Amino acid sequence: MQSQPTPAVILRTRPLGEADLIAIVLTPEQGKLETAAARARNSKKRFAGGLSPGMRGVAAIARGRGALLRLESFDATAAHAPVGADLTRFAYVAYLCELTDELVLARHPDPELFAALCLALEQVIGGAPQALHLRQYELALLRCLGLSPALTCCCVCGAEIAGDATAAFDGPRGGVLCPEHERGAPRLPSSALTAIQHLEAGGDPGALAMAPAAVRRAVRDAIQSIVRSHLRRPLHAQAFFAALPRDAGAEGV
């Protein structure tokens, strides 16, 4: 079968034999695909820039003889070199790709999710990486998976939440809770809840960059409590954040 070019993001690779690779790629129209890249570790023509997680480009994919698809070539369309030169970017990209790979099912096409991942990668690779970029992508990923948290009404009964100084928020249960159902849930400052609503609506993360560190940490903890409730295991990328400078890694994951 003739290969079909498609926009793609490399999520993960693993060795296959001495020269080949298995490449997990995300595409907008076919979803997450597992492909075999023959001689990928030796070819300087078909895979000139390599196949590193977070690379964005055009993939030529064809059906193989078995169930596994063939990755015939991959042409990068966005700069990826900054990832290898900066530990913060490396950690952020590794986290974005591993989180996507872990939560997204194979062959589940979602152009909105693909666009959200490309935007997040562009922000952390091409600009000044901020932990708030991770938070916005986490919310976009949850939304595309149908797992968005309740942010204005109780996740149990649907009652509107009053604008108090703090709100009960329980990630694993689904978001904010009314007084009747909070049952000792952690309290979230209203400023942090407003920031989450801003990010969930697609607002500029940079607008929150000057928020107090305590608010940014509260945003991280609230969103992460939701994300972790859907993970089957801790992500390997989390270890990279421990190696970052305190100000760069403290609000990562």
Side-chain angles (χ1 to χ4, degrees):
M1 177 180 176
Q2 186 175 4
S3 62
Q4 298 294 322
T6 178
V9 173
I10 305 297
L11 296 181
R12 171 170 55 93
T13 64
R14 67 175 187 270
L16 178 66
E18 294 184 358
D20 303 345
L21 286 174
I22 295 293
I24 310 300
V25 303
L26 185 71
T27 70
E29 301 300 335
Q30 299 181 69
K32 189 174 77 171
L33 304 173
E34 185 174 16
T35 67
R39 300 181 300 281
R41 285 184 276 178
N42 296 332
S43 177
K44 301 300 183 183
K45 181 178 180 181
R46 294 183 299 119
F47 307 104
L51 293 172
S52 299
M55 290 185 69
R56 293 156 288 157
V58 176
I61 300 174
R63 292 194 178 277
R65 294 181 179 179
L68 198 61
L69 298 173
R70 297 198 317 268
L71 182 60
E72 299 288 349
S73 65
F74 184 84
D75 295 320
T77 57
H80 196 72
V83 177
D86 180 59
L87 184 56
T88 299
R89 286 184 171 85
F90 181 86
Y92 282 22
V93 168
Y95 175 73
L96 290 169
C97 292
E98 189 179 6
L99 179 65
T100 304
D101 187 28
E102 183 69 16
L103 290 184
V104 174
L105 298 176
R107 305 295 182 98
H108 184 73
D110 192 330
E112 181 184 351
L113 172 60
F114 181 82
L117 177 59
C118 288
L119 174 60
L121 290 168
E122 175 60 31
Q123 289 171 329
V124 303
I125 296 174
Q130 301 176 22
L132 289 167
H133 293 137
L134 304 185
R135 305 290 82 84
Q136 188 164 60
Y137 177 69
E138 289 164 343
L139 289 167
L141 176 58
L142 290 169
R143 181 174 64 252
C144 291
L145 296 175
L147 302 172
S148 291
L151 299 176
T152 58
C153 297
C154 176
C155 61
V156 175
C157 67
E160 188 173 352
I161 302 301
D164 298 329
T166 63
F169 188 96
D170 191 318
R173 292 178 65 187
V176 294
L177 293 154
C178 67
E180 181 180 353
H181 294 104
E182 63 178 70
R183 287 182 282 182
R187 306 298 298 184
L188 183 67
S190 60
S191 55
L193 181 58
T194 299
I196 294 173
Q197 293 168 340
H198 172 83
L199 293 172
E200 205 280 334
D204 179 14
L208 304 175
M210 299 307 294
V215 172
R216 298 197 304 270
R217 287 194 296 268
V219 169
R220 175 201 62 191
D221 293 345
I223 299 175
Q224 279 280 293
S225 70
I226 308 167
V227 171
R228 287 172 179 163
S229 70
H230 297 292
L231 293 174
R232 296 168 295 177
R233 59 171 180 81
L235 300 182
H236 298 300
Q238 291 175 333
F240 297 130
F241 288 87
L244 296 180
R246 185 173 181 179
D247 58 343
E251 296 168 21
V253 295

